[in-house]
Amino acid sequence: MAKEKKLVESITSMEEDFAQWYTDVVKKAELIDYTSVKGCMVIKPAGYAIWENIQHELDRRFKEVGVQNVYLPMFIPESLLQKEKDHVEGFAPEVAWVTHGGLEELQERLCVRPTSETLFCDFYANDIHSYRDLPKVYNQWCSVVRWEKTTRPFLRSREFLWQEGHTAHATAKEAEERTIQMLNVYADFCEEVLAIPVIKGRKTDKEKFAGAEATYTIESLMHDGKALQSGTSHNFGDGFAKAFNIQFTDKDNTLKYVHQTSWGMTTRMIGAIIMVHGDNSGLVLPPRIAPTQVMVIPIQQKKEGVLERAAAIRDELTASGLRTRMDDADKSPGWKFAEQEMRGIPVRIELGPKDLEAGHAVVVRRDTREKQVVAFEELADTVKKTLETMQKDMLERARAHRDAHTYTAVTKEEFKDMAEHKPGFIKAMWCGSQECEDALKEECGVTSRCMPFDQEHISDTCICCGKPAKKMVYWGKAY
Amino acid sequence: MAKEKKLVESITSMEEDFAQWYTDVVKKAELIDYTSVKGCMVIKPAGYAIWENIQHELDRRFKEVGVQNVYLPMFIPESLLQKEKDHVEGFAPEVAWVTHGGLEELQERLCVRPTSETLFCDFYANDIHSYRDLPKVYNQWCSVVRWEKTTRPFLRSREFLWQEGHTAHATAKEAEERTIQMLNVYADFCEEVLAIPVIKGRKTDKEKFAGAEATYTIESLMHDGKALQSGTSHNFGDGFAKAFNIQFTDKDNTLKYVHQTSWGMTTRMIGAIIMVHGDNSGLVLPPRIAPTQVMVIPIQQKKEGVLERAAAIRDELTASGLRTRMDDADKSPGWKFAEQEMRGIPVRIELGPKDLEAGHAVVVRRDTREKQVVAFEELADTVKKTLETMQKDMLERARAHRDAHTYTAVTKEEFKDMAEHKPGFIKAMWCGSQECEDALKEECGVTSRCMPFDQEHISDTCICCGKPAKKMVYWGKAY
């Protein structure tokens, strides 16, 4: 019993130490394990199953908007990485270098892809000739490597899993439309599937992607009031096309450069799910992303008929389309409840001899712990409705939490005070200069999260320098 | 039209130059493209969609037999790779080495995984303590790197995609059963989905995996008479467990070593599909693996009602569960037919103004080019039946081809003559010594493919040395 015990021992409370609570949850919900490879992790079955559901849901949405999957090499020759000046400056300091193949030293170093713009550009330069070859709307699912100094499970690791979309278009307008379209796919996915509300907006020049003309982002707020950049979509204009000479003959028979975009979402979204929805009993998974949605737990399972009925319930719910399992391990019901709660399974069904006699079972929601006594014949319907309600409630609760932790600052004193004492988003006006961004980071420890599409007029002047304001910005401390 | 024209230009005939035919098909069916990274390729949408279907079908079969997916790091510290003596000898000469992270030299080199036994062992050593933790039946989908000198698309490249299953069991018996179970999953998948018949058997010690106690394999025969190792399943016994100290406390309260297996299948199966089923018009995809199963091609599409009816047919077939597309590009029907044939789409439906008037369409099978005139109301049913028949016929045709190219040798002269003049499998008896294996390779250019489970008694003596025979072996030239 030693190992099961460990799982359900109380974890650090999130109010006491949020970072330790997070580490406890990822370990005890068996999402990841550390490895002998510094900064890299094992994603265990319970964690990988969440990623498979994320992949499935995102990939389906991608295909609905015409995305095709491809696979490009994991290695980038050094000379290729260097072709776009801003891009190499942004990434070269944090890549892993392959110098030897087998017993021989390579003539040219290869880096392990930190992102694949340069490879896609090299490919497109060969593959695109005519307007008939456009648009290219390609995506790949893969892992990438960034040699981070400090790492945290899911949030920042030297290798992580993601998808990276890379598109090429005949016009600037079409590229901009695709950039926004994919940002919207991400935002809808986060809200509808992960129950995480997001702020859509544009990054400042300081925070944009290395080589991009414009970076758009969705930003979400974790339970501790820190922000998480949850997905980005970049418009490159024709910058990469010029660096890599990606030209096509247009309908008017002239040579033109393509316009490109890229967009990505990563396994850090598993971290977001944990930090938005989790509680002091462990993980709480939104029903739509949960690998197991319902756990049937028999009580006094050796009493006649209990196990059989529990199995029948599991089979009935499975047949009705719910991802259901039964926990018939040789452990006490209390252990099983604690395990199901730690793992964030949205609904459990308790069934004991007395329930069996009365012809009902007890349905318990993971998030609110609300209990319902439900007649057998109504179980499938009730559980379905409960899961739908829970999905909706989780989004609304996360939205209410975010809104309650979003502040508006008019003066720099207010801003400073909020940054120090009120974890959350701060909305404030900005003049557009990087000097003010740098100063606010230096003095208050916050970065610009985004210039939201939904702009508000808070005041006329920049929160930092007092000069005329250009944009309302969301500021915050970020993962 | 330049690019389309290129696609449908005649390719090298397979009788003239099989290798060039293969290269023409992978390029002109737009499955892959070469890259600036030597020995690595781009898998383009038409190629990757086949891999997605392979993944989907295999993954479903894995999950039915209790496999759970995980993800382990792509890097292996040099010291970890060296823990199992045979394994490091087999792989160290062909791995890529990472020596620098960012601007710093690493204290210990990391290799990019050529396979992940060592990482799984390191993980299992931490994760397995009690018989309650067993079995572990894990799998990962990823890419691996082997620094090959000569490469060919899909068949041998420096980076390739695959799945690798790694399991740990309490007993030797359970490990052996799992090894065979997964080999059977591969064999069934190849025959039922890819329409490729396979020989199941065991590898000789010379040909087994570095570090394995026993390697089992499925071997298939390509159209040119060369063999392709199509999937392998290894039983490691407790060799790795001892090297990595993976022990558990059994029910009897004693410490025991686990018994392990691994098994893999790769993107080279796309090469197998091409080389087993392709013809001089290009690719021929088995219906169950084809990303597009039916292409509707309107003829004189500007004539009233033609496009509308073609679209209605596409929609009807899609609704009935068939992966259907319509080619309404501004090209001649001849071009479209040639494109559909090059891409291996199993069925095309031709529809022109006269067909429209007569209330029927023409259904053409890709493999036999057999035409059927089918009334609109019977189209969905007929196409379904045609696809089923085609799937079955393709397997039987491949089996007949293999059987017609499987020879039996009793004397060494016969064997030599077959090896030289009759491309295919040669069945012959073997004494079990590596000297004879080496000699047959040296003198006849063939390797042992496997010792089939279905043994036959051909003669009493080894084909090579004349000593008493122990096993009947399939020999052949291999990719």
CSV table of all heavy atoms in Angstrom, one decimal, chain A residues 438-466:
chain,number,residue,atom,x,y,z
A,438,ASP,N,10.4,49.0,-20.4
A,438,ASP,CA,11.6,48.6,-19.6
A,438,ASP,C,11.5,49.2,-18.2
A,438,ASP,O,11.8,48.5,-17.2
A,438,ASP,CB,12.9,49.2,-20.3
A,438,ASP,CG,13.2,48.4,-21.6
A,438,ASP,OD1,12.6,47.3,-21.8
A,438,ASP,OD2,13.9,49.0,-22.4
A,439,ALA,N,11.1,50.4,-18.1
A,439,ALA,CA,11.0,51.1,-16.7
A,439,ALA,C,10.0,50.3,-15.9
A,439,ALA,O,10.2,50.1,-14.7
A,439,ALA,CB,10.6,52.5,-16.9
A,440,LEU,N,8.8,50.0,-16.4
A,440,LEU,CA,7.8,49.3,-15.6
A,440,LEU,C,8.3,47.9,-15.2
A,440,LEU,O,7.9,47.5,-14.1
A,440,LEU,CB,6.5,49.2,-16.4
A,440,LEU,CG,5.8,50.6,-16.6
A,440,LEU,CD1,4.6,50.4,-17.5
A,440,LEU,CD2,5.4,51.2,-15.3
A,441,LYS,N,9.0,47.3,-16.1
A,441,LYS,CA,9.6,46.0,-15.7
A,441,LYS,C,10.6,46.1,-14.5
A,441,LYS,O,10.5,45.4,-13.5
A,441,LYS,CB,10.2,45.3,-16.9
A,441,LYS,CG,10.7,43.9,-16.5
A,441,LYS,CD,11.1,43.1,-17.7
A,441,LYS,CE,11.4,41.7,-17.2
A,441,LYS,NZ,12.0,40.8,-18.3
A,442,GLU,N,11.4,47.1,-14.7
A,442,GLU,CA,12.5,47.4,-13.7
A,442,GLU,C,11.9,47.8,-12.4
A,442,GLU,O,12.2,47.2,-11.3
A,442,GLU,CB,13.4,48.5,-14.3
A,442,GLU,CG,14.5,49.0,-13.4
A,442,GLU,CD,15.6,48.0,-13.3
A,442,GLU,OE1,15.7,47.1,-14.2
A,442,GLU,OE2,16.4,48.1,-12.3
A,443,GLU,N,11.0,48.7,-12.4
A,443,GLU,CA,10.4,49.3,-11.2
A,443,GLU,C,9.3,48.5,-10.5
A,443,GLU,O,9.2,48.4,-9.3
A,443,GLU,CB,9.9,50.7,-11.4
A,443,GLU,CG,11.0,51.7,-11.8
A,443,GLU,CD,10.3,53.0,-12.2
A,443,GLU,OE1,9.4,53.5,-11.6
A,443,GLU,OE2,10.8,53.6,-13.2
A,444,CYS,N,8.5,47.8,-11.4
A,444,CYS,CA,7.3,47.1,-10.8
A,444,CYS,C,7.4,45.6,-11.1
A,444,CYS,O,6.5,44.9,-10.6
A,444,CYS,CB,6.1,47.7,-11.4
A,444,CYS,SG,6.0,49.5,-11.4
A,445,GLY,N,8.3,45.1,-11.8
A,445,GLY,CA,8.4,43.7,-12.1
A,445,GLY,C,7.3,43.1,-13.0
A,445,GLY,O,7.1,41.9,-13.0
A,446,VAL,N,6.7,43.9,-13.8
A,446,VAL,CA,5.7,43.4,-14.7
A,446,VAL,C,6.1,43.6,-16.1
A,446,VAL,O,6.9,44.5,-16.4
A,446,VAL,CB,4.3,44.1,-14.5
A,446,VAL,CG1,3.8,43.8,-13.1
A,446,VAL,CG2,4.4,45.6,-14.8
A,447,THR,N,5.5,42.8,-17.0
A,447,THR,CA,5.8,42.9,-18.5
A,447,THR,C,4.4,43.2,-19.1
A,447,THR,O,3.4,42.9,-18.6
A,447,THR,CB,6.4,41.7,-19.1
A,447,THR,OG1,5.6,40.5,-18.7
A,447,THR,CG2,7.8,41.4,-18.5
A,448,SER,N,4.5,43.8,-20.3
A,448,SER,CA,3.3,44.0,-21.1
A,448,SER,C,2.9,42.6,-21.6
A,448,SER,O,3.6,41.9,-22.2
A,448,SER,CB,3.6,44.9,-22.3
A,448,SER,OG,4.4,44.3,-23.3
A,449,ARG,N,1.6,42.2,-21.3
A,449,ARG,CA,1.1,40.9,-21.8
A,449,ARG,C,0.6,41.1,-23.2
A,449,ARG,O,0.8,40.3,-24.1
A,449,ARG,CB,0.0,40.4,-20.8
A,449,ARG,CG,0.5,40.2,-19.4
A,449,ARG,CD,1.9,39.6,-19.2
A,449,ARG,NE,2.0,38.4,-20.0
A,449,ARG,CZ,3.1,37.9,-20.5
A,449,ARG,NH1,4.3,38.6,-20.4
A,449,ARG,NH2,3.2,36.8,-21.2
A,450,CYS,N,-0.3,42.1,-23.4
A,450,CYS,CA,-0.7,42.4,-24.8
A,450,CYS,C,-1.5,43.7,-24.8
A,450,CYS,O,-1.9,44.2,-23.8
A,450,CYS,CB,-1.6,41.2,-25.3
A,450,CYS,SG,-3.3,41.1,-24.5
A,451,MET,N,-1.6,44.2,-26.1
A,451,MET,CA,-2.5,45.3,-26.4
A,451,MET,C,-3.8,44.7,-26.9
A,451,MET,O,-3.9,44.1,-28.0
A,451,MET,CB,-1.9,46.2,-27.5
A,451,MET,CG,-0.5,46.7,-27.1
A,451,MET,SD,0.3,47.7,-28.4
A,451,MET,CE,0.9,46.4,-29.5
A,452,PRO,N,-4.8,44.6,-26.0
A,452,PRO,CA,-6.0,43.8,-26.3
A,452,PRO,C,-6.7,44.4,-27.6
A,452,PRO,O,-6.7,45.6,-27.8
A,452,PRO,CB,-6.9,43.9,-25.1
A,452,PRO,CG,-6.4,45.2,-24.4
A,452,PRO,CD,-5.0,45.3,-24.7
A,453,PHE,N,-7.4,43.5,-28.3
A,453,PHE,CA,-8.2,44.0,-29.4
A,453,PHE,C,-9.3,44.8,-28.9
A,453,PHE,O,-9.7,45.8,-29.6
A,453,PHE,CB,-8.8,42.8,-30.2
A,453,PHE,CG,-7.8,41.9,-30.9
A,453,PHE,CD1,-8.0,40.6,-31.2
A,453,PHE,CD2,-6.5,42.5,-31.3
A,453,PHE,CE1,-7.1,39.8,-31.9
A,453,PHE,CE2,-5.6,41.7,-32.0
A,453,PHE,CZ,-5.9,40.4,-32.3
A,454,ASP,N,-9.9,44.5,-27.7
A,454,ASP,CA,-10.9,45.3,-27.1
A,454,ASP,C,-10.2,46.4,-26.3
A,454,ASP,O,-10.0,46.3,-25.1
A,454,ASP,CB,-11.8,44.5,-26.2
A,454,ASP,CG,-12.7,43.5,-27.0
A,454,ASP,OD1,-12.9,43.8,-28.2
A,454,ASP,OD2,-13.1,42.5,-26.4
A,455,GLN,N,-10.0,47.5,-27.0
A,455,GLN,CA,-9.3,48.6,-26.3
A,455,GLN,C,-10.3,49.4,-25.4
A,455,GLN,O,-11.5,49.5,-25.8
A,455,GLN,CB,-8.7,49.6,-27.4
A,455,GLN,CG,-7.4,49.0,-28.0
A,455,GLN,CD,-6.2,49.2,-27.0
A,455,GLN,OE1,-6.0,50.3,-26.5
A,455,GLN,NE2,-5.5,48.1,-26.8
A,456,GLU,N,-9.8,49.9,-24.3
A,456,GLU,CA,-10.7,50.8,-23.5
A,456,GLU,C,-9.9,52.1,-23.3
A,456,GLU,O,-8.6,52.1,-23.3
A,456,GLU,CB,-10.9,50.2,-22.1
A,456,GLU,CG,-11.7,48.9,-22.1
A,456,GLU,CD,-11.6,48.2,-20.8
A,456,GLU,OE1,-11.8,48.8,-19.7
A,456,GLU,OE2,-11.4,47.0,-20.8
A,457,HIS,N,-10.6,53.2,-23.1
A,457,HIS,CA,-9.9,54.4,-22.9
A,457,HIS,C,-9.9,54.7,-21.4
A,457,HIS,O,-11.0,55.1,-20.8
A,457,HIS,CB,-10.6,55.6,-23.6
A,457,HIS,CG,-9.9,56.9,-23.4
A,457,HIS,ND1,-8.8,57.2,-24.1
A,457,HIS,CD2,-10.1,57.9,-22.5
A,457,HIS,CE1,-8.3,58.4,-23.7
A,457,HIS,NE2,-9.1,58.8,-22.7
A,458,ILE,N,-8.8,54.5,-20.7
A,458,ILE,CA,-8.7,54.7,-19.3
A,458,ILE,C,-8.3,56.1,-18.9
A,458,ILE,O,-8.8,56.7,-17.9
A,458,ILE,CB,-7.7,53.6,-18.7
A,458,ILE,CG1,-8.3,52.2,-18.9
A,458,ILE,CG2,-7.5,53.9,-17.2
A,458,ILE,CD1,-7.4,51.1,-18.6
A,459,SER,N,-7.3,56.6,-19.6
A,459,SER,CA,-6.9,58.0,-19.4
A,459,SER,C,-6.2,58.4,-20.6
A,459,SER,O,-5.9,57.7,-21.6
A,459,SER,CB,-6.0,58.1,-18.2
A,459,SER,OG,-4.8,57.4,-18.4
A,460,ASP,N,-5.8,59.7,-20.6
A,460,ASP,CA,-5.2,60.2,-21.8
A,460,ASP,C,-3.6,60.0,-21.9
A,460,ASP,O,-3.0,60.2,-23.0
A,460,ASP,CB,-5.4,61.8,-21.9
A,460,ASP,CG,-6.9,62.1,-22.1
A,460,ASP,OD1,-7.6,61.2,-22.7
A,460,ASP,OD2,-7.3,63.1,-21.6
A,461,THR,N,-3.1,59.7,-20.7
A,461,THR,CA,-1.6,59.7,-20.7
A,461,THR,C,-1.0,58.4,-20.3
A,461,THR,O,-1.6,57.6,-19.6
A,461,THR,CB,-1.1,60.8,-19.7
A,461,THR,OG1,-1.7,60.5,-18.4
A,461,THR,CG2,-1.5,62.2,-20.1
A,462,CYS,N,0.2,58.2,-20.7
A,462,CYS,CA,1.0,57.0,-20.4
A,462,CYS,C,1.2,56.8,-18.9
A,462,CYS,O,1.5,57.8,-18.2
A,462,CYS,CB,2.3,57.0,-21.1
A,462,CYS,SG,3.4,55.6,-20.7
A,463,ILE,N,0.9,55.7,-18.4
A,463,ILE,CA,1.0,55.4,-16.9
A,463,ILE,C,2.4,55.6,-16.4
A,463,ILE,O,2.7,55.9,-15.3
A,463,ILE,CB,0.6,53.9,-16.7
A,463,ILE,CG1,0.4,53.6,-15.2
A,463,ILE,CG2,1.6,52.9,-17.2
A,463,ILE,CD1,-0.9,54.0,-14.7
A,464,CYS,N,3.4,55.6,-17.3
A,464,CYS,CA,4.8,55.7,-16.9
A,464,CYS,C,5.4,57.1,-17.1
A,464,CYS,O,5.9,57.6,-16.1
A,464,CYS,CB,5.6,54.6,-17.7
A,464,CYS,SG,7.3,54.5,-17.1
A,465,CYS,N,5.3,57.6,-18.3
A,465,CYS,CA,6.0,58.9,-18.6
A,465,CYS,C,5.1,60.1,-18.6
A,465,CYS,O,5.5,61.2,-18.7
A,465,CYS,CB,6.7,58.7,-19.9
A,465,CYS,SG,5.6,58.6,-21.4
A,466,GLY,N,3.7,59.8,-18.7
A,466,GLY,CA,2.8,61.0,-18.7
A,466,GLY,C,2.6,61.6,-20.1
A,466,GLY,O,1.8,62.5,-20.2
